[in-house]
Each structure stands twice: as structure tokens, then as C-alpha cells.
Amino acid sequence: MKYLRDVHASIALYEGEIESFLGEVQDLESVNKSIAELYQTETVAIAHGHSEPQQLEVWQNTLKTLRSCTISVEALQTLLNEIAGKTGAKVAGLRDRIKKQLKKQSKDSELIRIRQQLSSHRESLSMSLTLLNLMYTQRDSKDSQVFGFKLHKQIASLQARLPLSEQDTTVSSIYTGRKGYLDGLKQAFDSSHGLSEHGPTHKRFVVCGLGGAGKTQFCCKFASDNKQRFWGVFTVDASSLGNAQQSFVAIAKACGTDPNERAAKSWLSSSDRPWLLLIDKADDTNLDIESYFPDGEYGLTLITTRNPTVKMHGTIGQRFYHFDKLDDDEANELLLRAADNQEPRTPTLMQLASAITTRLGALPLALIHAGNAIKANYCKLSTYIPYYELSWQLIRQSQNKAGHDEDDAEYTKVYASYEIVFRGLEAIKSQRYSDAVQLLKLFSFLHYEHIPFEFLTGAVKHPSIQREFDTQASESLKEEEEKLVSFAWQPSLWLKHLQSTFDTFKMKQFKIQNPVILPTFLLDAELSNSSYDFNVRLREALYLLVQLSLVTYHENSDSYSMHPLVHTWVRERPQMTIQIQAVWCEAALHTLSRCVLLPPLNESVDPRGNLARKLLPHVVSVGKYQENIEREFENNRKTRNSPWPALQSRPIPWRALFLAKCALVYSESGYFVEAENCLRTVMKFNRGFLGQNHPRTERVTLAVSDCLWQQCRVNEAANIHEQLFQANFRTLGPDHPRTLNLMAKLGESRRQQGRLAESIELLTKAMAGMKIQLPGKDPVTYHALEQLGSTLRTCFRFEDAKEHQEQAVAGMKLCLGENNLRTLIAMEELAITYKELGTLHTDSNQELGRQFLETAHNLAMFIVEQRKQQLGDKQPHTWMAQGTLGRIKAAMGDVDEAERIFSDLSPVATRHLGGSHLGVLSHKNHHSRILIQQKRYNEAEIILLDITRPERYRTASFKSDHPDRWEALWTLVECFQKQGKIGRSLATCKELLEAVRAITQGEKQTEISSTFWQMVLAKKTELMATKDSRMPRRPTSSSSQPLTAKSGPAIMAPGMPAFGSHSLINVPLDAGDIRRRVTTW
């Protein structure tokens, strides 16, 4: 047994010695090469006689030593090769180990002799280089001093090295990624070797970030990759004061000095050998990190920490790295390596990996544990995400059992460090720490990215603004009702007055019975009169979370984010029971609800809707978690096998209010379907709780119609407008402001339906009443004026349209400001009118036409820029403005740029709004016209055949067709004609005439002529003539006479150049005018 133990010990010793020999050979080869390069640099100065005789002599001695050293190195290499044999330095089994150990023992005397030679050569080189260093550094030139510094590096490289501590600097075999960061740190270290203007520089670099982000492994990888640069690598465990002191004692012992912290730092500070010090886990916010820094210009100190404020101590390069998650490709590769997946990296495999890395936030530690689970066959790559979700459920359930599953314990290692920090926060009984814990719980139900600070401050300020407004509004409503009742006694008005009084009483009772749930800091803010104190209190708690890397602060946007894993851990940790989750989810709902203001207050507090759009992901997130919690409660009820049916929760006003505010957030962000769903729930609640005719019910119903209108479900919106208009007409009379406003909205809907005679009549009456009932500057009046102008434009009355729209824009600028979104809508309609006038005057008066087009272009550019700033690039109103700009550019001759705009817009708008949205269909029609101008007829035809399908216009059709479809059919006629497809062009003309006849038959025809009818017939005649010219001449019979204007109904279709629906207004035309309009269109 003793013999075997001795053999085993000798074998281990052999492997260590061989590694040591190889290290010495590599070091000496590197030093020899570097010194030779320095000498080659100096030969130029020697050749020109710039070097002194003493320097030349020292260099010659150095070269002799180098040659001797080279001979010794070669001898050592030959000897090692004999010992290693054919298998090299690595050992293949016990037999090979023993064989190599015996060979090594037989060569011990030669090895000792060569090592003594190498030691002698090393000392000689060190002395020669030291002498040269003194000579060069005594010169005054900066180049000589830099050259001397390079010599000093080689002197330090010749010193005996300390072995690296494998326990402290081991790099994982699956380490992946961050090569750019490694190269950047290496470059920063290399660049720091020059002499600083302010003297020696203490080289420090900070790596901060979330726990599990791979900070320590990164530093170990750097140490491993650059071990030839450092005489020694040391590690200090800064997780606690005791651990740090023990680390410094170990460093002192390795360096041969007194075993204490002060001696270790003093030795490092005075050393002229390059060293690397890793101060690891410096996370404690109360840690005096500076006390751990040794002085000295030859060492490099790396610091890993969760506390981002430590980054101020970095001194080289960019001073710090902040690690959060890996890049997508690096994260996927790390996951696959951890799972020991050797398959080719196919797109399908990478897609599966990407789904997992995204779910885990690309956090290295979590990816490694996920890979281990896959490697252990707990799940497959394709089933990991369900396994991950199930694991959380099992972990939560296991807390109710006496023991814990080992698999659960292994799984929760990823979150162990977070749990320690969280419990530390809970243990300290102070306001700041309590607020930090509550903020974490609140944030865990919001979206994990970009939580704006103004969301929290708005939750304090906005309720007081809302209460003040409600008080004034209730008094105003009461005065209005009393005035109506005293004006004329009507049973309905008396009942309405009594109903309002009863509704107020019910609302107060609900508020008493259903108090809101809020975090403590918001409840305290209600009692405080100082918003400044509240802001400071919040900032202090958030700063604490930032220091612990539990949240990240984004200075540019003044917002906070959580890593997805931290976000999940706070919400799903076993201590967060389903009941506690329900409480904090409701707290998040209340906080969001308090932050959002409904119209008209939102227009003064958040006129551009910026805050509402920022809150969209958080509204979606809270709604999702609320559904999950309610589903969990239902499942728990079922598992108890309760014989009693579940009690249906009665409607609560604050939930309806929250849904109304959610609808505003969705609408501001362009998600009109989601907004409609929320508002319909609120409308149903209000009808049951407040009554059908209550003002709040009416406002919500009107908001539903606005969402329908934005989705181009015009018929449904028009029905709601007509119902509300008739109800207010009967109750309040024709001249009441609310009745007039609804009349204008109904006129707007009629325009979208193509019933423009009714539209003009309704808008004209509404305008006349508003001038009397709403004297002064009122945005509602100007909006109705702008809508009337748009209707007139679709009827070819461009000058009248321009006059009305210019007045509307000027009035809105005075009332709302030039940058207001409602003002921008009016300006966009005016720009379209200018474009039509410019196109119309191009032939008759080119200068006037050019002026109109340039004015339209400038307006459109301004509108696009404003909407991008206020709404962003991904909002429907921004796309609409860009489409308007594209149309104007095409009219000005910049066809290629116009085509690029529409090519970029069409797929995005189609995905978001749907292929049957009138705005999308209109944009595609204009795009096809541009393609025809570019002679890309096949592409245009494909688009037109799609957008002329009748089902595309079903939600806005009046009498089974829609004027916007006429426009598309007209463009299709031209497309066929350009391709020489005369037969198909004639067939489309026939279809177009039938569509016009169907929609206009039996309609009111006040001052309506057959303009469009004449235009289509003129085109048909032209096509018939072309067809006849291609056929042999035949005698013309009376039955083959072409149709004339008298053949069809005396009706006119919409004016084609305008965006949106069109009408049938009298415009006297001669044959030349018809040809010009056909050409322009």
C-alpha cells in the first residue's frame, strides 16, 4: 500500500513538474523573442551612431546571453520530448503515467543541470536589461522613457511566477461569448502602460451587473487568456469582511510576507512585477471598497459587483462593463453547450434555443442550469419552457410539504442569491427598505422593461386633479339639469334628475364598501402635502434597488427595468402565495388606474399621449397576471369539490374605471380592437349601474363608436351616432351643444359611408347651430368646419374646401396649438386639398400648381415629423401622414421616393390594421397608381385585383358597395388599358357602372349631377374606340351606339383624387373638363 501511495504521489508530482517545465520554456521563448524585437528597433540608432559605447557593449552581452539561453531551451525541449514520448505531455492511463515517471526519474540529473543553466541565464538577462533600463530612462526624450518602460516589462517577465489558484480562477469548459469585452479590456490594459501626465496610474476596472450574469467567469477568463502577462493572479472574496481578510492573508503567505491584510496590500503596492488582483463579489452597499485597493502602477485590479455605483472607481479604458444578458447568438450557443448538444446548428435548432434564452432573459447562470436540466433528460429542448413553468408550480407547492425535492433545490440555485438579498431587505425595519420591498412586488406585475418614474408620481398627482374636476363637473351637471327642469316640466327630465341623485349616492356607497389597495408609500403620499418629499422618498428606495442590481436605471428615459428572471422570481417565489399575488396585482391595477386621466383632463396633463403609450406594456402585463390569478382561484375551488356554486363577483365601479383607462391607453397606441373590447365592458356596466341615458353611459358609447370608426367599421359607428343623436334631439332639443356635436359626428360618418349629400346637410346645420350655441373659439366647431371642408373636397369643390379648411386650421392653432394632434389632423386634410389643387392647375397654370404642391409638401413634412416625435414610428396616424406625403411626392414627380414610402408602409399597416381597413386599401390603391407610372403593371394589377374585392368594404359599405372601391376599380381600368387588355378594361368599366348605379339609386339627389357617371362613360367610349380600331370595320347598327350621359342615372360619384369616401355634388363639366379630370385622376 505504501508503495502504491508513493507511486500515485510521484505521478501527480510528475504532471505538475512537466507543466512547470513547459511554462518556463514558453516564458523564455516569449522573452527571447521580445528582447530580439527591441534590439532590432534599436539597431537603427546604433547604425547612425546615436547609441553610446556603453549601451552597445551591454546589448552585445545581452545577445550572447540570449544565444546561450536559446541553446539551453532547445536542450530542455529535446529532453522533455524524450520523457513525454509519442503521446506528448498528456497521460493516457495509469500505465503511461508510470512509464513517463520512470523516464523522468532517469533524466533528473540532466533536468537539474539544464534548469540551473536557465536560472543563470535568466539572472544574466535580468541584470543586462536592468542596466539598459537605467541608461534609457536617464535620457530626457519621451521615446527613450517609453523604450525603458518596455525593457522593464521584460525584466518583470523574467521573475519567477506564482502558480495560479485553480479554485479561484478556474474557467468553465463551456464558457461562451463576450469576446469583444475581453479584447476591449486587454486593449485598455495595454494602453495604460504609457507614462501618464499626472504620474503613475492605479489600473482598475469594474465589472458590474446582475447576479448570475457571468461577471466572475469573465474575469477568470481574462486572467487565463493573459496569464503570461502577470507574475501572479490573486483573488479577494469581498462578500464579507471576514472572507476578505482571509483572502489577503492567503495573498501575504504566497508572497512571503506577514500574514495580514496590510502586509499583503503593501507588498503588492511596492512590487515592480505585474500582478492581477480580482476583488470578487463586492456587492455590499456599505462596503468601503477603496480600502481593498493596493497602490502601484504595475498591477491591475478587477472588481466584480452588483452595485453599479462602484463603477466610479474604474480608471482604464471605458472604466466599467455592465453585464445583464448575453447577445442572442452567444446565449443560444451557451445553452446548447451546457446541454451537451452536438447537433448541427440548423435554423430549427437555433429557433428552439432562442425561445428558451428569451424566456430566461439570456442570463448565463440560468442558461447553464437549463442546459443541465436538458442534459439530464428532465426535458427536451422543445419541451423546456413547459417544464420551466411546471417547475415553478412544483417549487411553490413543495413549500407546503415537510421536505423539499432535491430537483427543486437544484433548480432554485439560480435564484438563491436573489432570495438572500430580498430577505436582507425585509429584515431591516426602516421606511427606505420597506418601500424597496413594496416597489419590487409592485414592479413584478408590471412589464419588466422601462417603468417610467412619472408613472409613480402621476399616481400621486393625478387623483387630486381628477377629484377637483369631478367636483366642478358634478356642479355643472346639476346646474344644467335644474335649468332644463325649470325650463319645461317633462316627466323624463324629472326622472333623469332623480336618477342622477340616486347614482351619486350609489357611487359613494361603493367607495365606502370597496376601498382601494395601494402600496404604503402611495397611501402616505395622500396624506402628505409635499410632492418633493414623496419624490425623494421614492428615489431613495429605487436607488437602493439599483445598488443591489435588482433594478436598472435608464437615465435617458428616467425609467427603471428588471431582468426577466428577477421579475419572475419576485412574483413567483414560494412566499408569494396566490392570495398575496392577488393583493399586489390589484395594487398594480389601482396604481395604473390612478396614473391615467380620462378626457378631457388627459388633453391638458398629457396632450401628446406620451405617458399613455409608455404604460401600454404595463397595462397588458397586469391584465395577463390578473387573468392567471383568477384562473388559479377557479382551479383551487374545483379541486376542493365544493358543492356550492361560486359566487359571481358583482361589478365594482373602479374596475370599470380601470377598463375605461385601459381603453384610452390602447387607443393612444393604435390598438383599437382592444380598446373597443374594454369600452364595451364598461358600457355594459354603466347601462346596468347608471342607466341607458346617463351622461357617463353616453360618453362611453360615443367612445365605442370612435374605436369602430378608427377600425373603419363605419356602418356600426354611424348607427351609434344616429341613435345618440336622435336620443339627444328628443331630450335636449336640436340646439343643445351635445346634440350639435352628435350631428357633426353623424355627418362625418355619412361621409365615410359615401352618403355625402346627407353629410353636407348635417355638417352645415351643425356649423350654423355651433356658431350660436358655442360662441368664441371652440375646437368642436373648428373640427366640424374641417370635416365639412373634407366633404366638399371629395365633391370636386376644391376652392370651397380650401376656404373651410384654412379657417379650421387657423382656429385650431389658436385653441390647441400648432403641434396638437387634432390640429395636425386638420392640417393633413388641408395638405391633401392643396395637393388636389396643385394637380388640377398643373396644365392651366403651372406656377400656381407648383405653389400649391410645394405648400402641401411642406405641410406634410411638418406633420410627419411631429407625429414621429409625438406618436412614434409604429402608430397608424404616423403611417397615414407618411402616405399623404408619398402621394404629394408622386404628384410632384418624385415617383421613386413615393414608391419607396408606400412599399415600406403597406406591409406594416396591413399587419397592424388588417387588410380590409379603408386606410390600408386607399394606400394600396395609391401605391398601385405609382407602380403604373413606373410601368410595373403586373405588380399594380395584383394589388388592384385584391383591393377591388367587394368583401373588403363590407364593414363600411352602403347598399353593398363603397365609393373607395370605385376608386380602386377606376385605377384597375387604367392598369388594364396600359397593358393593352382592352377587353378586361371594358369589363371593369361595366362593373364600375353597376356599382355606381347600385349605391346611388333612390338616394337623395339635391344638386347632384352625373359627373362621375360621365367620366366612366367617357372612358368606356375611349376603350370602345380602341377596340374597334383593332377589329375589321363593320356597318354600325343603331343598337351598338355607345352609352351617353343620358343613358344612366343623373347621379355623380365621388371625386377620385381625395382620400377616403366621396360624394355626388353638382359640378358642370364640358367634354374637355371630363378628359382633364380623367387624365388627372
Side-chain angles (χ1 to χ4, degrees):
M1 290 296 294
K2 182 178 184 299
Y3 170 75
L4 291 176
R5 283 195 295 269
D6 291 343
V7 169
H8 185 272
S10 64
I11 290 172
L13 180 62
Y14 156 76
E15 293 178 347
E17 288 179 337
I18 292 296
E19 290 293 330
S20 177
F21 287 148
L22 291 175
E24 289 185 27
V25 170
Q26 292 173 357
D27 292 348
L28 285 170
E29 284 183 339
S30 176
V31 171
N32 290 357
K33 183 178 178 182
S34 299
I35 295 175
E37 290 175 355
L38 291 176
Y39 176 71
Q40 291 295 329
T41 304
E42 188 64 10
T43 52
V44 178
I46 295 174
H48 291 81
H50 297 317
S51 293
E52 299 176 1
Q54 296 89 341
Q55 291 179 0
L56 183 58
E57 183 180 355
V58 175
W59 271 115
Q60 290 174 348
N61 293 333
T62 302
L63 292 176
K64 290 180 182 179
T65 307
L66 279 177
R67 285 191 288 269
S68 300
C69 186
T70 302
I71 294 172
S72 298
V73 167
E74 291 174 352
L76 179 60
Q77 285 180 324
T78 302
L79 192 60
L80 290 176
N81 289 335
E82 292 178 5
I83 296 173
K86 296 181 180 180
T87 60
K90 292 188 177 181
V91 178
L94 180 61
R95 183 175 180 181
D96 189 40
R97 289 187 180 186
I98 297 173
K99 185 178 179 181
K100 289 181 177 180
Q101 175 61 19
L102 293 174
K103 282 186 180 180
K104 187 260 177 187
Q105 290 176 354
S106 66
K107 302 289 185 179
D108 273 347
S109 59
E110 294 183 55
L111 284 172
I112 292 172
R113 180 180 58 82
I114 294 175
R115 294 194 70 176
Q116 288 175 348
Q117 290 178 357
L118 289 175
S119 178
S120 176
H121 296 326
R122 182 185 289 111
E123 291 178 3
S124 298
L125 283 174
S126 180
M127 291 178 61
S128 298
L129 293 179
T130 301
L131 185 57
L132 285 171
N133 180 39
L134 291 173
M135 291 179 179
Y136 281 102
T137 54
Q138 288 175 355
R139 292 182 182 180
D140 294 332
S141 68
K142 186 175 181 180
D143 291 341
S144 297
Q145 293 182 1
V146 172
F147 195 80
F149 181 80
K150 293 179 179 179
L151 288 171
H152 186 86
K153 277 186 63 178
Q154 302 308 319
I155 297 169
S157 299
L158 291 168
Q159 305 295 328
R161 299 177 183 273
L162 285 177
L164 298 178
S165 171
E166 293 183 1
Q167 183 179 0
D168 295 334
T169 58
T170 301
V171 182
S172 171
S173 60
I174 60 171
Y175 181 91
T176 304
R178 291 181 173 146
K179 184 178 184 305
Y181 289 99
L182 288 167
D183 294 341
L185 180 54
K186 177 177 175 294
Q187 184 179 0
F189 179 60
D190 290 341
S191 302
S192 66
H193 289 321
L195 296 177
S196 172
E197 297 178 359
H198 306 287
T201 302
H202 308 307
K203 302 176 185 65
R204 293 190 293 269
F205 198 89
V206 180
V207 182
C208 59
L210 186 66
K215 303 183 294 294
T216 303
Q217 276 289 295
F218 171 83
C219 293
C220 293
K221 177 65 173 173
F222 176 81
S224 176
D225 290 351
N226 297 274
K227 60 185 178 183
Q228 300 300 329
R229 296 168 172 266
F230 301 105
W231 167 79
V233 178
F234 310 97
T235 302
V236 172
D237 181 0
S239 59
S240 68
L241 181 61
N243 290 343
Q245 290 175 344
Q246 291 179 8
S247 299
F248 277 114
V249 168
I251 293 172
K253 289 180 179 179
C255 297
T257 186
D258 295 338
N260 59 67
E261 179 181 340
R262 179 179 297 178
K265 289 192 295 183
S266 176
W267 190 92
L268 291 173
S269 300
S270 60
S271 174
D272 57 359
R273 307 171 184 179
W275 46 261
L276 175 65
L277 175 64
L278 170 59
I279 302 178
D280 195 25
K281 301 183 182 68
D283 303 328
D284 190 348
T285 56
N286 298 317
L287 177 66
D288 182 13
I289 187 68
E290 291 186 75
S291 65
Y292 293 168
F293 298 155
D295 293 329
E297 57 183 298
Y298 300 112
L300 171 63
T301 302
L302 296 180
I303 307 148
T304 69
T305 177
R306 294 183 183 182
N307 186 356
T309 60
V310 177
K311 65 188 180 183
M312 61 183 290
H313 296 295
T315 59
I316 63 171
Q318 68 180 63
R319 300 189 299 112
F320 69 93
Y321 288 149
H322 185 277
F323 287 171
D324 187 359
K325 57 184 181 180
L326 290 172
D327 294 337
D328 293 342
D329 293 340
E330 296 174 347
N332 293 342
E333 185 61 29
L334 176 60
L335 173 68
L336 295 174
R337 286 190 184 183
D340 196 22
N341 189 299
Q342 305 297 327
E343 298 177 26
R345 302 309 193 231
T346 62
T348 302
L349 180 68
M350 300 311 289
Q351 187 175 6
L352 290 173
S354 182
I356 297 173
T357 57
T358 301
R359 183 67 179 85
L360 298 178
L363 191 72
L365 181 60
L367 296 176
I368 292 170
H369 281 275
N372 291 339
I374 297 169
K375 184 178 178 181
N377 292 321
Y378 294 152
C379 60
K380 296 180 179 179
L381 199 67
S382 58
T383 60
Y384 175 78
I385 293 179
Y387 166 79
Y388 173 79
E389 301 290 349
L390 180 62
S391 297
W392 269 116
Q393 297 179 20
L394 295 176
I395 291 170
R396 291 169 62 84
Q397 293 171 5
S398 68
Q399 299 300 309
N400 300 323
K401 301 177 183 178
H404 303 288
D405 195 338
E406 291 184 3
D407 292 341
D408 296 343
E410 176 68 21
Y411 188 78
T412 53
K413 285 180 181 178
V414 179
Y415 306 95
S417 60
Y418 309 151
E419 185 66 29
I420 292 171
V421 174
F422 189 86
R423 292 184 181 182
L425 289 173
E426 288 184 318
I428 300 177
K429 305 302 181 183
S430 73
Q431 177 179 282
R432 182 188 181 197
Y433 283 76
S434 176
D435 289 347
V437 170
Q438 292 195 11
L439 281 168
L440 278 178
K441 293 178 179 179
L442 180 70
F443 285 3
S444 70
F445 289 91
L446 305 174
H447 192 269
Y448 58 82
E449 286 186 319
H450 300 294
I451 303 169
F453 184 72
E454 60 181 323
F455 151 67
L456 296 170
T457 56
V460 174
K461 294 187 298 183
H462 293 174
S464 59
I465 298 174
Q466 186 70 57
R467 284 192 294 269
E468 183 178 352
F469 174 81
D470 289 344
T471 301
Q472 296 175 355
S474 62
E475 293 176 356
S476 175
L477 181 63
K478 184 178 180 180
E479 291 177 2
E480 179 181 326
E481 290 175 348
E482 289 176 353
K483 187 184 297 183
L484 287 169
V485 172
S486 62
F487 175 73
W489 187 90
Q490 298 177 21
S492 60
L493 294 179
W494 277 100
L495 290 174
K496 190 173 184 179
H497 179 68
L498 291 174
Q499 181 69 36
S500 176
T501 304
F502 181 63
D503 292 342
T504 303
F505 172 76
K506 284 199 295 183
M507 294 293 289
K508 290 181 178 179
Q509 290 299 310
F510 265 98
K511 289 181 180 179
I512 294 172
Q513 296 173 11
N514 298 275
V516 296
I517 299 174
L518 290 171
T520 304
F521 53 81
L522 287 181
L523 292 174
D524 292 346
E526 288 282 332
L527 305 175
S528 174
N529 296 323
S530 174
S531 60
Y532 173 79
D533 292 343
F534 173 73
N535 290 355
V536 171
R537 176 176 172 177
L538 274 183
R539 292 287 190 188
E540 288 179 347
L542 288 167
Y543 182 70
L544 177 61
L545 296 177
V546 170
Q547 286 183 305
L548 297 171
S549 279
L550 294 175
V551 302
T552 303
Y553 177 61
H554 308 286
E555 187 174 358
N556 292 337
S557 59
D558 194 19
S559 63
Y560 296 84
S561 297
M562 298 174 73
H563 190 278
L565 283 190
V566 178
H567 188 257
T568 301
W569 158 74
V570 174
R571 187 181 60 258
E572 301 292 345
R573 54 193 294 267
Q575 291 79 3
M576 286 282 283
T577 63
I578 188 65
Q579 291 79 10
I580 297 176
Q581 284 185 340
V583 169
W584 280 103
C585 185
E586 189 159 313
L589 287 172
H590 280 299
T591 308
L592 280 170
S593 182
R594 291 163 63 91
C595 182
V596 179
L597 289 172
L598 293 173
L601 287 177
N602 66 315
E603 295 180 2
S604 58
V605 176
D606 185 27
R608 298 184 177 182
N610 291 335
L611 178 58
R613 283 185 293 278
K614 290 178 184 177
L615 295 180
L616 174 64
H618 307 298
V619 167
V620 174
S621 178
V622 171
K624 180 185 71 174
Y625 295 131
Q626 185 185 32
E627 291 178 3
N628 293 341
I629 290 170
E630 291 176 351
R631 189 182 306 113
E632 185 69 20
F633 274 127
E634 178 64 18
N635 292 338
N636 291 343
R637 185 191 67 80
K638 290 179 179 179
T639 56
R640 290 195 300 267
N641 296 320
S642 174
W644 298 99
L647 296 175
Q648 298 296 323
S649 59
R650 54 181 177 174
I652 302 177
W654 76 259
R655 288 187 180 273
L657 180 63
F658 173 71
L659 285 176
K661 295 183 176 184
C662 288
L664 176 66
V665 172
Y666 282 125
S667 181
E668 289 284 358
S669 305
Y671 292 88
F672 303 115
V673 175
E674 291 79 2
E676 179 201 348
N677 293 336
C678 291
L679 287 171
R680 286 195 180 278
T681 303
V682 178
M683 183 174 67
K684 181 179 179 181
F685 167 77
N686 279 6
R687 285 177 177 176
F689 187 72
L690 301 175
Q692 176 78 27
N693 298 321
H694 193 278
R696 292 185 181 179
T697 306
E698 182 178 297
R699 286 199 295 270
V700 173
T701 307
L702 199 57
V704 171
S705 71
D706 289 341
C707 288
L708 295 170
W709 204 88
Q710 292 289 351
Q711 298 173 62
C712 287
R713 292 159 60 184
V714 181
N715 292 338
E716 297 175 68
N719 291 339
I720 291 177
H721 289 158
E722 185 166 15
Q723 293 171 9
L724 292 176
F725 168 67
Q726 295 296 341
N728 279 269
F729 187 91
R730 291 192 302 268
T731 306
L732 302 176
D735 298 326
H736 192 275
R738 277 162 53 187
T739 306
L740 295 172
N741 183 37
L742 287 166
M743 185 186 297
K745 284 189 171 293
L746 181 58
E748 190 174 351
S749 294
R750 291 289 184 250
R751 177 171 70 86
Q752 282 291 324
Q753 290 179 299
R755 301 164 63 174
L756 299 191
E758 294 180 54
S759 175
I760 290 178
E761 182 180 354
L762 288 167
L763 288 168
T764 302
K765 287 183 179 180
M767 282 295 306
M770 288 177 180
K771 289 180 180 179
I772 299 172
Q773 298 295 330
L774 300 173
K777 302 169 183 176
D778 192 289
V780 176
T781 304
Y782 292 122
H783 177 71
L785 185 62
E786 175 263 314
Q787 288 296 314
L788 179 58
S790 298
T791 307
L792 294 173
R793 182 189 65 233
T794 61
C795 306
F796 300 137
R797 294 171 58 179
F798 299 130
E799 292 293 343
D800 292 340
K802 179 174 77 72
E803 180 182 351
H804 284 73
Q805 289 173 337
E806 285 178 341
Q807 292 178 20
V809 169
M812 286 189 172
K813 285 182 179 179
L814 289 174
C815 293
L816 305 173
E818 185 180 41
N819 300 331
N820 185 273
L821 293 175
R822 292 165 65 183
T823 305
L824 293 175
I825 291 174
M827 292 170 69
E828 184 178 1
E829 292 295 323
L830 179 58
I832 296 173
T833 301
Y834 283 149
K835 177 258 179 187
E836 302 299 345
L837 285 168
T839 305
L840 185 65
H841 288 291
T842 298
D843 294 334
S844 58
N845 189 338
Q846 291 186 358
E847 179 61 25
L848 181 61
R850 183 184 61 79
Q851 290 177 3
F852 275 124
L853 289 176
E854 287 182 354
T855 305
H857 185 268
N858 294 337
L859 264 180
M861 288 290 290
F862 174 78
I863 295 164
V864 170
E865 186 64 28
Q866 286 296 315
R867 286 190 177 161
K868 283 184 177 180
Q869 290 180 7
Q870 299 184 39
L871 304 178
D873 295 333
K874 299 179 181 179
Q875 218 273 352
H877 284 92
T878 303
W879 302 333
M880 192 77 74
Q882 289 174 314
T884 300
L885 178 61
R887 293 168 56 188
I888 295 170
K889 284 185 177 293
M892 298 177 73
D894 193 355
V895 180
D896 292 340
E897 177 62 16
E899 199 280 327
R900 185 196 63 77
I901 291 174
F902 279 106
S903 294
D904 294 343
L905 282 179
S906 291
V908 178
T910 302
R911 284 196 304 270
H912 187 85
L913 299 173
S916 298
H917 191 279
L918 289 183
V920 173
L921 295 170
S922 178
H923 276 220
K924 287 186 176 182
N925 184 35
H926 288 293
H927 187 198
S928 65
R929 292 179 189 174
I930 294 170
L931 292 173
I932 291 172
Q933 287 181 265
Q934 295 179 321
K935 299 183 180 181
R936 295 160 62 181
Y937 302 121
N938 290 336
E939 297 173 62
E941 182 179 335
I942 292 172
I943 295 174
L944 290 166
L945 289 174
D946 176 62
I947 66 174
T948 53
R949 291 186 294 156
E951 60 267 24
R952 290 288 194 192
Y953 303 86
R954 185 172 292 118
T955 59
S957 295
F958 172 62
K959 289 195 173 181
S960 75
D961 217 311
H962 193 275
D964 281 7
R965 182 169 174 265
W966 302 351
E967 283 194 50
L969 285 170
W970 181 264
T971 309
L972 185 58
V973 168
E974 181 184 1
C975 184
F976 284 142
Q977 184 182 14
K978 293 285 187 181
Q979 297 178 79
K981 300 177 180 180
I982 304 302
R984 298 191 67 179
S985 187
L986 279 168
T988 307
C989 265
K990 181 179 179 181
E991 183 181 0
L992 183 53
L993 289 169
E994 291 297 328
V996 174
R997 181 183 289 111
I999 197 172
T1000 57
Q1001 191 170 9
E1003 288 301 303
K1004 185 177 180 180
Q1005 300 179 19
T1006 305
E1007 298 185 11
I1008 293 178
S1009 71
S1010 56
T1011 305
F1012 185 58
W1013 187 266
Q1014 294 177 37
M1015 292 169 65
V1016 179
L1017 288 179
K1019 173 61 71 174
K1020 183 176 181 181
T1021 302
E1022 178 187 345
L1023 292 170
M1024 290 293 294
T1026 303
K1027 181 179 180 181
D1028 291 342
S1029 67
R1030 296 181 179 181
M1031 299 177 62
R1033 291 184 175 276
R1034 297 180 181 178
T1036 304
S1037 64
S1038 59
S1039 61
S1040 62
Q1041 293 292 331
L1043 289 172
T1044 64
K1046 296 180 181 179
S1047 304
I1051 299 171
M1052 129 73 188
M1056 276 52 67
F1059 175 83
S1061 304
H1062 311 293
S1063 188
L1064 321 170
I1065 301 301
N1066 180 43
V1067 181
L1069 297 174
D1070 55 20
D1073 198 6
I1074 291 176
R1075 284 195 298 272
R1076 183 167 61 255
R1077 291 202 185 282
V1078 170
T1079 303
T1080 301
W1081 194 18

